[in-house]
Amino acid sequence: MKGLKFSKTGWLILSAGIFVVILAGLGVTRSQQLTEQTELEEELTLSTMRVDTIQVSHLRPQLEELQQRLDESESQLNEVQDRLRQTVVSVDVTEKFFAIAEYCDVVIQNLTNTTISTDTIQNINCYETSISATVTGELEDIVDFLIGLNEGYSTGYVQSTQISIPDESSDKQPSANFQIVVYSYEGI
């Protein structure tokens, strides 16, 4: 088969046949695309209707409230960490104890403090020291001293207090035993 010779008519028929086949292929492809487009539009409409039925507008105030609470909590955490960053130096803690006692007009009878140790409070590493003391004075002054201790140590608190009030016939003054704990932020 040396070469096939086609007449002009044969070439025309062959070209027309190829053209018809190509048109048929394109028609089938377009038909499939139209069917797929219709299905996708129906799914989109159904999905849009489902999304429209979900009421998210009532969740927005709740989201804003939770965001505000989170911001407040983060602010409080930063504030507490800043207050705890004050280093605990035993001399400073004891010095403040004497200053509060002098201001409240009570007399320190004895005072002991522990060495600085580490402690973990709710996953926060801290330094800790405690003071035990006995003071004497007027009952009102002892109560003022107790309040002064709680207010004077921003990172500490009075762990326990025991107040002794003697009989009116006794010449002894009221006394109190205090146990306070002071913390400092150690960092991570």
Side-chain angles (χ1 to χ4, degrees), residues 112-170:
T112 58
N113 60 336
T114 62
T115 59
I116 297 171
S117 61
T118 58
D119 193 6
T120 303
I121 301 171
Q122 295 185 356
N123 297 327
I124 298 174
N125 296 326
C126 298
Y127 292 115
E128 169 188 297
T129 188
S130 62
I131 296 176
S132 298
T134 302
V135 298
T136 58
E138 297 298 320
L139 184 58
E140 296 155 357
D141 295 335
I142 291 174
V143 171
D144 287 342
F145 180 64
L146 171 64
I147 294 168
L149 287 176
N150 272 326
E151 292 175 354
Y153 291 100
S154 60
T155 61
Y157 67 96
V158 176
Q159 191 173 34
S160 67
T161 303
Q162 182 181 11
I163 299 176
S164 298
I165 303 171
D167 291 334
E168 290 180 16
S169 61
S170 173

Side-chain angles (χ1 to χ4, degrees), residues 54-159:
I54 297 174
Q55 298 295 325
V56 294
S57 60
H58 71 282
L59 296 176
R60 184 160 309 284
Q62 186 178 6
L63 174 65
E64 290 171 359
E65 177 187 343
L66 290 173
Q67 183 64 44
Q68 182 180 4
R69 287 175 50 196
L70 176 63
D71 293 343
E72 289 172 2
S73 295
E74 287 175 348
S75 173
Q76 289 173 351
L77 175 63
N78 290 337
E79 181 182 322
V80 167
Q81 285 179 338
D82 287 342
R83 284 195 314 186
L84 284 174
R85 285 193 206 289
Q86 302 171 14
T87 57
V88 172
V89 177
S90 182
V91 173
D92 293 340
V93 171
T94 309
E95 189 175 298
K96 185 179 271 191
F97 192 88
F98 277 101
I100 294 170
E102 182 179 348
Y103 180 78
C104 294
D105 202 26
V106 296
V107 177
I108 298 173
Q109 297 300 319
N110 64 31
L111 179 126
T112 58
N113 60 336
T114 62
T115 59
I116 297 171
S117 61
T118 58
D119 193 6
T120 303
I121 301 171
Q122 295 185 356
N123 297 327
I124 298 174
N125 296 326
C126 298
Y127 292 115
E128 169 188 297
T129 188
S130 62
I131 296 176
S132 298
T134 302
V135 298
T136 58
E138 297 298 320
L139 184 58
E140 296 155 357
D141 295 335
I142 291 174
V143 171
D144 287 342
F145 180 64
L146 171 64
I147 294 168
L149 287 176
N150 272 326
E151 292 175 354
Y153 291 100
S154 60
T155 61
Y157 67 96
V158 176
Q159 191 173 34

